[in-house]
Amino acid sequence: MAILHIAKLGNPVLRKPADPVDPEAIKKPVFQQLIDDLFETMLENEGIGLAAPQVSRSEQLVVTGCKGEGGFPETVLINPKILFYGPHQVEMWEGCLSVDGLRGKVTRPSMVRVQGLDRHGTLQDFEATGLYAVCIQHELDHLIGKIFLDRMTDMSTLTQLEEFEAYWKQEAAPVI
Ligand code: NI
């Protein structure tokens, strides 16, 4: 296991569409190691999601996980697709491990149906709601070169971390 270096805003890898993963490659030790390293790097940085392009690997792989109340299970998604967006929207504070010190409000569908391979290469098809749905959408955006800042419709909520702690912390802010 290893803590990987996180690419930060401005690194071109974050703006590049990620390549699909060859399903044959999933079971190889080097790919399994990458999955483990993504989880370790996410947890070390207190994130709830991490996409492979954020560690300079331009591949369609994301990991998510959030312990505790309102959390969701550790999930690996390879070559994921969103098949359906629910009709309702939810506004949440978001941050990103590739964007230091900023938080901003983003409005997204509150439910998604997702399909993707797991770490064994098995097809998963499930619905996610609330924070889990937001996290998945944020991570899948990384696979098409999008950052949460691109999804903000009202830039007036963009907040530096110190000010977030002072004025807005009562509203939860996932760091994805
Ligand atoms: Ni992010």
Side-chain angles (χ1 to χ4, degrees):
M1 301 267 273
I3 307 292
L4 304 174
H5 178 76
I6 295 182
K8 302 289 179 171
L9 189 66
N11 187 322
V13 72
L14 294 173
R15 293 308 194 171
K16 195 174 162 240
D19 294 325
V21 175
D22 174 3
E24 295 293 310
I26 294 172
K27 289 201 167 110
K28 291 185 178 163
V30 66
F31 194 82
Q32 293 292 315
Q33 182 71 54
L34 175 60
I35 293 171
D36 290 339
D37 290 348
L38 279 171
F39 273 120
E40 194 178 9
T41 304
M42 178 186 88
L43 293 171
E44 173 72 17
N45 290 281
E46 299 181 348
I48 62 170
L50 191 61
Q54 293 182 273
V55 297
S56 299
R57 296 285 298 263
S58 196
E59 299 180 60
Q60 292 179 20
L61 162 66
V62 308
V63 302
T64 69
C66 181
K67 290 202 173 81
E69 200 181 333
F72 47 85
E74 288 197 341
T75 307
V76 176
L77 282 167
I78 300 163
N79 300 340
K81 285 184 176 53
I82 293 179
L83 300 182
F84 177 77
Y85 292 91
H88 304 294
Q89 308 287 310
V90 63
E91 184 182 62
M92 281 194 196
W93 286 99
E94 293 187 27
C96 180
L97 295 178
S98 293
V99 182
D100 287 340
L102 289 178
R103 299 287 183 269
K105 279 186 174 179
V106 183
T107 300
R108 300 182 189 269
S110 62
M111 188 277 270
V112 288
R113 182 177 157 207
V114 193
Q115 217 172 57
L117 301 176
D118 69 9
R119 69 180 302 157
H120 309 293
T122 305
L123 188 67
Q124 316 166 86
D125 185 330
F126 62 95
E127 288 179 3
T129 58
L131 181 60
Y132 195 17
V134 167
C135 181
I136 285 173
Q137 290 173 79
H138 176 120
E139 294 314 323
L140 266 57
D141 271 353
H142 280 301
L143 303 182
I144 56 169
K146 293 276 186 204
I147 306 287
F148 80 94
L149 300 167
D150 306 326
R151 300 299 192 195
M152 290 180 64
T153 50
D154 179 2
M155 295 302 283
S156 73
T157 66
L158 193 62
T159 302
Q160 299 205 128
L161 197 51
E162 201 174 312
E163 283 64 32
F164 178 79
E165 303 278 340
Y167 299 108
W168 305 104
K169 202 185 163 89
Q170 63 274 22
E171 303 180 43
V175 180
I176 311 174

mmCIF file with all atom_site columns, all heavy atoms in Angstrom, residues 96-113:
data_model
loop_
_atom_site.group_PDB
_atom_site.id
_atom_site.type_symbol
_atom_site.label_atom_id
_atom_site.label_alt_id
_atom_site.label_comp_id
_atom_site.label_asym_id
_atom_site.label_entity_id
_atom_site.label_seq_id
_atom_site.pdbx_PDB_ins_code
_atom_site.Cartn_x
_atom_site.Cartn_y
_atom_site.Cartn_z
_atom_site.occupancy
_atom_site.B_iso_or_equiv
_atom_site.pdbx_formal_charge
_atom_site.auth_seq_id
_atom_site.auth_comp_id
_atom_site.auth_asym_id
_atom_site.auth_atom_id
_atom_site.pdbx_PDB_model_num
ATOM 1   N N   . CYS A 1 96  ? -12.826 19.223 -2.920  1.00 0.00 ? 96  CYS A N   1
ATOM 2   C CA  . CYS A 1 96  ? -12.162 18.235 -3.773  1.00 0.00 ? 96  CYS A CA  1
ATOM 3   C C   . CYS A 1 96  ? -10.705 18.135 -3.336  1.00 0.00 ? 96  CYS A C   1
ATOM 4   O O   . CYS A 1 96  ? -10.068 19.159 -3.067  1.00 0.00 ? 96  CYS A O   1
ATOM 5   C CB  . CYS A 1 96  ? -12.247 18.679 -5.226  1.00 0.00 ? 96  CYS A CB  1
ATOM 6   S SG  . CYS A 1 96  ? -11.464 17.527 -6.378  1.00 0.00 ? 96  CYS A SG  1
ATOM 7   N N   . LEU A 1 97  ? -10.186 16.924 -3.277  1.00 0.00 ? 97  LEU A N   1
ATOM 8   C CA  . LEU A 1 97  ? -8.787  16.737 -2.872  1.00 0.00 ? 97  LEU A CA  1
ATOM 9   C C   . LEU A 1 97  ? -7.821  17.353 -3.885  1.00 0.00 ? 97  LEU A C   1
ATOM 10  O O   . LEU A 1 97  ? -6.654  17.573 -3.566  1.00 0.00 ? 97  LEU A O   1
ATOM 11  C CB  . LEU A 1 97  ? -8.481  15.249 -2.674  1.00 0.00 ? 97  LEU A CB  1
ATOM 12  C CG  . LEU A 1 97  ? -9.239  14.571 -1.516  1.00 0.00 ? 97  LEU A CG  1
ATOM 13  C CD1 . LEU A 1 97  ? -8.900  13.093 -1.442  1.00 0.00 ? 97  LEU A CD1 1
ATOM 14  C CD2 . LEU A 1 97  ? -8.936  15.254 -0.188  1.00 0.00 ? 97  LEU A CD2 1
ATOM 15  N N   . SER A 1 98  ? -8.310  17.665 -5.079  1.00 0.00 ? 98  SER A N   1
ATOM 16  C CA  . SER A 1 98  ? -7.461  18.313 -6.090  1.00 0.00 ? 98  SER A CA  1
ATOM 17  C C   . SER A 1 98  ? -7.587  19.837 -6.069  1.00 0.00 ? 98  SER A C   1
ATOM 18  O O   . SER A 1 98  ? -6.934  20.520 -6.861  1.00 0.00 ? 98  SER A O   1
ATOM 19  C CB  . SER A 1 98  ? -7.815  17.793 -7.492  1.00 0.00 ? 98  SER A CB  1
ATOM 20  O OG  . SER A 1 98  ? -7.474  16.420 -7.608  1.00 0.00 ? 98  SER A OG  1
ATOM 21  N N   . VAL A 1 99  ? -8.451  20.346 -5.190  1.00 0.00 ? 99  VAL A N   1
ATOM 22  C CA  . VAL A 1 99  ? -8.668  21.804 -5.095  1.00 0.00 ? 99  VAL A CA  1
ATOM 23  C C   . VAL A 1 99  ? -8.475  22.191 -3.630  1.00 0.00 ? 99  VAL A C   1
ATOM 24  O O   . VAL A 1 99  ? -9.389  22.060 -2.819  1.00 0.00 ? 99  VAL A O   1
ATOM 25  C CB  . VAL A 1 99  ? -10.089 22.185 -5.573  1.00 0.00 ? 99  VAL A CB  1
ATOM 26  C CG1 . VAL A 1 99  ? -10.286 23.699 -5.524  1.00 0.00 ? 99  VAL A CG1 1
ATOM 27  C CG2 . VAL A 1 99  ? -10.370 21.655 -6.981  1.00 0.00 ? 99  VAL A CG2 1
ATOM 28  N N   . ASP A 1 100 ? -7.293  22.636 -3.282  1.00 0.00 ? 100 ASP A N   1
ATOM 29  C CA  . ASP A 1 100 ? -6.987  22.906 -1.873  1.00 0.00 ? 100 ASP A CA  1
ATOM 30  C C   . ASP A 1 100 ? -7.755  24.115 -1.349  1.00 0.00 ? 100 ASP A C   1
ATOM 31  O O   . ASP A 1 100 ? -7.794  25.166 -1.998  1.00 0.00 ? 100 ASP A O   1
ATOM 32  C CB  . ASP A 1 100 ? -5.488  23.168 -1.694  1.00 0.00 ? 100 ASP A CB  1
ATOM 33  C CG  . ASP A 1 100 ? -4.666  21.894 -1.818  1.00 0.00 ? 100 ASP A CG  1
ATOM 34  O OD1 . ASP A 1 100 ? -5.246  20.806 -1.655  1.00 0.00 ? 100 ASP A OD1 1
ATOM 35  O OD2 . ASP A 1 100 ? -3.457  22.002 -2.092  1.00 0.00 ? 100 ASP A OD2 1
ATOM 36  N N   . GLY A 1 101 ? -8.348  23.941 -0.172  1.00 0.00 ? 101 GLY A N   1
ATOM 37  C CA  . GLY A 1 101 ? -8.817  25.085 0.604   1.00 0.00 ? 101 GLY A CA  1
ATOM 38  C C   . GLY A 1 101 ? -10.076 25.763 0.124   1.00 0.00 ? 101 GLY A C   1
ATOM 39  O O   . GLY A 1 101 ? -10.390 26.854 0.587   1.00 0.00 ? 101 GLY A O   1
ATOM 40  N N   . LEU A 1 102 ? -10.839 25.158 -0.791  1.00 0.00 ? 102 LEU A N   1
ATOM 41  C CA  . LEU A 1 102 ? -12.063 25.794 -1.260  1.00 0.00 ? 102 LEU A CA  1
ATOM 42  C C   . LEU A 1 102 ? -13.261 24.870 -1.081  1.00 0.00 ? 102 LEU A C   1
ATOM 43  O O   . LEU A 1 102 ? -13.145 23.644 -1.204  1.00 0.00 ? 102 LEU A O   1
ATOM 44  C CB  . LEU A 1 102 ? -11.956 26.168 -2.749  1.00 0.00 ? 102 LEU A CB  1
ATOM 45  C CG  . LEU A 1 102 ? -11.028 27.321 -3.126  1.00 0.00 ? 102 LEU A CG  1
ATOM 46  C CD1 . LEU A 1 102 ? -11.019 27.500 -4.639  1.00 0.00 ? 102 LEU A CD1 1
ATOM 47  C CD2 . LEU A 1 102 ? -11.442 28.622 -2.439  1.00 0.00 ? 102 LEU A CD2 1
ATOM 48  N N   . ARG A 1 103 ? -14.387 25.491 -0.791  1.00 0.00 ? 103 ARG A N   1
ATOM 49  C CA  . ARG A 1 103 ? -15.666 24.790 -0.737  1.00 0.00 ? 103 ARG A CA  1
ATOM 50  C C   . ARG A 1 103 ? -16.666 25.604 -1.550  1.00 0.00 ? 103 ARG A C   1
ATOM 51  O O   . ARG A 1 103 ? -16.568 26.835 -1.610  1.00 0.00 ? 103 ARG A O   1
ATOM 52  C CB  . ARG A 1 103 ? -16.184 24.698 0.707   1.00 0.00 ? 103 ARG A CB  1
ATOM 53  C CG  . ARG A 1 103 ? -15.265 23.942 1.656   1.00 0.00 ? 103 ARG A CG  1
ATOM 54  C CD  . ARG A 1 103 ? -15.296 22.439 1.393   1.00 0.00 ? 103 ARG A CD  1
ATOM 55  N NE  . ARG A 1 103 ? -14.465 21.732 2.357   1.00 0.00 ? 103 ARG A NE  1
ATOM 56  C CZ  . ARG A 1 103 ? -13.177 21.438 2.181   1.00 0.00 ? 103 ARG A CZ  1
ATOM 57  N NH1 . ARG A 1 103 ? -12.557 21.830 1.071   1.00 0.00 ? 103 ARG A NH1 1
ATOM 58  N NH2 . ARG A 1 103 ? -12.503 20.788 3.094   1.00 0.00 ? 103 ARG A NH2 1
ATOM 59  N N   . GLY A 1 104 ? -17.631 24.914 -2.136  1.00 0.00 ? 104 GLY A N   1
ATOM 60  C CA  . GLY A 1 104 ? -18.667 25.627 -2.886  1.00 0.00 ? 104 GLY A CA  1
ATOM 61  C C   . GLY A 1 104 ? -19.911 24.773 -2.981  1.00 0.00 ? 104 GLY A C   1
ATOM 62  O O   . GLY A 1 104 ? -19.855 23.546 -2.905  1.00 0.00 ? 104 GLY A O   1
ATOM 63  N N   . LYS A 1 105 ? -21.052 25.438 -3.133  1.00 0.00 ? 105 LYS A N   1
ATOM 64  C CA  . LYS A 1 105 ? -22.319 24.717 -3.226  1.00 0.00 ? 105 LYS A CA  1
ATOM 65  C C   . LYS A 1 105 ? -22.573 24.283 -4.661  1.00 0.00 ? 105 LYS A C   1
ATOM 66  O O   . LYS A 1 105 ? -22.419 25.079 -5.603  1.00 0.00 ? 105 LYS A O   1
ATOM 67  C CB  . LYS A 1 105 ? -23.472 25.598 -2.756  1.00 0.00 ? 105 LYS A CB  1
ATOM 68  C CG  . LYS A 1 105 ? -23.632 25.647 -1.261  1.00 0.00 ? 105 LYS A CG  1
ATOM 69  C CD  . LYS A 1 105 ? -24.892 26.420 -0.895  1.00 0.00 ? 105 LYS A CD  1
ATOM 70  C CE  . LYS A 1 105 ? -25.148 26.357 0.594   1.00 0.00 ? 105 LYS A CE  1
ATOM 71  N NZ  . LYS A 1 105 ? -26.366 27.124 0.943   1.00 0.00 ? 105 LYS A NZ  1
ATOM 72  N N   . VAL A 1 106 ? -22.982 23.016 -4.804  1.00 0.00 ? 106 VAL A N   1
ATOM 73  C CA  . VAL A 1 106 ? -23.298 22.459 -6.120  1.00 0.00 ? 106 VAL A CA  1
ATOM 74  C C   . VAL A 1 106 ? -24.681 21.810 -6.034  1.00 0.00 ? 106 VAL A C   1
ATOM 75  O O   . VAL A 1 106 ? -24.992 21.137 -5.051  1.00 0.00 ? 106 VAL A O   1
ATOM 76  C CB  . VAL A 1 106 ? -22.262 21.402 -6.557  1.00 0.00 ? 106 VAL A CB  1
ATOM 77  C CG1 . VAL A 1 106 ? -22.567 20.896 -7.965  1.00 0.00 ? 106 VAL A CG1 1
ATOM 78  C CG2 . VAL A 1 106 ? -20.844 21.965 -6.500  1.00 0.00 ? 106 VAL A CG2 1
ATOM 79  N N   . THR A 1 107 ? -25.485 22.019 -7.049  1.00 0.00 ? 107 THR A N   1
ATOM 80  C CA  . THR A 1 107 ? -26.797 21.372 -7.134  1.00 0.00 ? 107 THR A CA  1
ATOM 81  C C   . THR A 1 107 ? -26.716 20.230 -8.130  1.00 0.00 ? 107 THR A C   1
ATOM 82  O O   . THR A 1 107 ? -26.244 20.412 -9.258  1.00 0.00 ? 107 THR A O   1
ATOM 83  C CB  . THR A 1 107 ? -27.862 22.390 -7.584  1.00 0.00 ? 107 THR A CB  1
ATOM 84  O OG1 . THR A 1 107 ? -27.899 23.452 -6.627  1.00 0.00 ? 107 THR A OG1 1
ATOM 85  C CG2 . THR A 1 107 ? -29.239 21.749 -7.666  1.00 0.00 ? 107 THR A CG2 1
ATOM 86  N N   . ARG A 1 108 ? -27.133 19.057 -7.678  1.00 0.00 ? 108 ARG A N   1
ATOM 87  C CA  . ARG A 1 108 ? -27.089 17.864 -8.538  1.00 0.00 ? 108 ARG A CA  1
ATOM 88  C C   . ARG A 1 108 ? -28.346 17.027 -8.298  1.00 0.00 ? 108 ARG A C   1
ATOM 89  O O   . ARG A 1 108 ? -28.985 17.154 -7.250  1.00 0.00 ? 108 ARG A O   1
ATOM 90  C CB  . ARG A 1 108 ? -25.884 16.982 -8.187  1.00 0.00 ? 108 ARG A CB  1
ATOM 91  C CG  . ARG A 1 108 ? -24.517 17.628 -8.342  1.00 0.00 ? 108 ARG A CG  1
ATOM 92  C CD  . ARG A 1 108 ? -23.447 16.602 -8.007  1.00 0.00 ? 108 ARG A CD  1
ATOM 93  N NE  . ARG A 1 108 ? -22.098 17.136 -7.910  1.00 0.00 ? 108 ARG A NE  1
ATOM 94  C CZ  . ARG A 1 108 ? -21.226 17.204 -8.925  1.00 0.00 ? 108 ARG A CZ  1
ATOM 95  N NH1 . ARG A 1 108 ? -21.574 16.794 -10.130 1.00 0.00 ? 108 ARG A NH1 1
ATOM 96  N NH2 . ARG A 1 108 ? -20.005 17.669 -8.733  1.00 0.00 ? 108 ARG A NH2 1
ATOM 97  N N   . PRO A 1 109 ? -28.664 16.104 -9.223  1.00 0.00 ? 109 PRO A N   1
ATOM 98  C CA  . PRO A 1 109 ? -29.755 15.164 -8.970  1.00 0.00 ? 109 PRO A CA  1
ATOM 99  C C   . PRO A 1 109 ? -29.494 14.376 -7.683  1.00 0.00 ? 109 PRO A C   1
ATOM 100 O O   . PRO A 1 109 ? -28.352 13.980 -7.414  1.00 0.00 ? 109 PRO A O   1
ATOM 101 C CB  . PRO A 1 109 ? -29.738 14.249 -10.198 1.00 0.00 ? 109 PRO A CB  1
ATOM 102 C CG  . PRO A 1 109 ? -29.149 15.104 -11.277 1.00 0.00 ? 109 PRO A CG  1
ATOM 103 C CD  . PRO A 1 109 ? -28.116 15.952 -10.578 1.00 0.00 ? 109 PRO A CD  1
ATOM 104 N N   . SER A 1 110 ? -30.558 14.147 -6.896  1.00 0.00 ? 110 SER A N   1
ATOM 105 C CA  . SER A 1 110 ? -30.384 13.503 -5.587  1.00 0.00 ? 110 SER A CA  1
ATOM 106 C C   . SER A 1 110 ? -30.380 11.983 -5.679  1.00 0.00 ? 110 SER A C   1
ATOM 107 O O   . SER A 1 110 ? -30.180 11.305 -4.673  1.00 0.00 ? 110 SER A O   1
ATOM 108 C CB  . SER A 1 110 ? -31.502 13.946 -4.637  1.00 0.00 ? 110 SER A CB  1
ATOM 109 O OG  . SER A 1 110 ? -32.757 13.531 -5.157  1.00 0.00 ? 110 SER A OG  1
ATOM 110 N N   . MET A 1 111 ? -30.619 11.454 -6.877  1.00 0.00 ? 111 MET A N   1
ATOM 111 C CA  . MET A 1 111 ? -30.592 9.995  -7.057  1.00 0.00 ? 111 MET A CA  1
ATOM 112 C C   . MET A 1 111 ? -30.009 9.672  -8.428  1.00 0.00 ? 111 MET A C   1
ATOM 113 O O   . MET A 1 111 ? -30.291 10.384 -9.393  1.00 0.00 ? 111 MET A O   1
ATOM 114 C CB  . MET A 1 111 ? -32.010 9.434  -6.946  1.00 0.00 ? 111 MET A CB  1
ATOM 115 C CG  . MET A 1 111 ? -32.093 7.916  -6.927  1.00 0.00 ? 111 MET A CG  1
ATOM 116 S SD  . MET A 1 111 ? -32.068 7.133  -8.548  1.00 0.00 ? 111 MET A SD  1
ATOM 117 C CE  . MET A 1 111 ? -33.817 7.102  -8.881  1.00 0.00 ? 111 MET A CE  1
ATOM 118 N N   . VAL A 1 112 ? -29.169 8.642  -8.449  1.00 0.00 ? 112 VAL A N   1
ATOM 119 C CA  . VAL A 1 112 ? -28.652 8.156  -9.737  1.00 0.00 ? 112 VAL A CA  1
ATOM 120 C C   . VAL A 1 112 ? -28.698 6.626  -9.746  1.00 0.00 ? 112 VAL A C   1
ATOM 121 O O   . VAL A 1 112 ? -28.572 5.987  -8.699  1.00 0.00 ? 112 VAL A O   1
ATOM 122 C CB  . VAL A 1 112 ? -27.200 8.616  -10.007 1.00 0.00 ? 112 VAL A CB  1
ATOM 123 C CG1 . VAL A 1 112 ? -27.133 10.092 -10.322 1.00 0.00 ? 112 VAL A CG1 1
ATOM 124 C CG2 . VAL A 1 112 ? -26.260 8.253  -8.861  1.00 0.00 ? 112 VAL A CG2 1
ATOM 125 N N   . ARG A 1 113 ? -28.898 6.087  -10.930 1.00 0.00 ? 113 ARG A N   1
ATOM 126 C CA  . ARG A 1 113 ? -28.706 4.643  -11.120 1.00 0.00 ? 113 ARG A CA  1
ATOM 127 C C   . ARG A 1 113 ? -27.396 4.461  -11.870 1.00 0.00 ? 113 ARG A C   1
ATOM 128 O O   . ARG A 1 113 ? -27.186 5.080  -12.926 1.00 0.00 ? 113 ARG A O   1
ATOM 129 C CB  . ARG A 1 113 ? -29.862 4.040  -11.910 1.00 0.00 ? 113 ARG A CB  1
ATOM 130 C CG  . ARG A 1 113 ? -29.718 2.540  -12.069 1.00 0.00 ? 113 ARG A CG  1
ATOM 131 C CD  . ARG A 1 113 ? -30.898 1.916  -12.801 1.00 0.00 ? 113 ARG A CD  1
ATOM 132 N NE  . ARG A 1 113 ? -30.483 0.645  -13.387 1.00 0.00 ? 113 ARG A NE  1
ATOM 133 C CZ  . ARG A 1 113 ? -31.036 0.105  -14.451 1.00 0.00 ? 113 ARG A CZ  1
ATOM 134 N NH1 . ARG A 1 113 ? -32.047 0.706  -15.063 1.00 0.00 ? 113 ARG A NH1 1
ATOM 135 N NH2 . ARG A 1 113 ? -30.596 -1.036 -14.917 1.00 0.00 ? 113 ARG A NH2 1
#
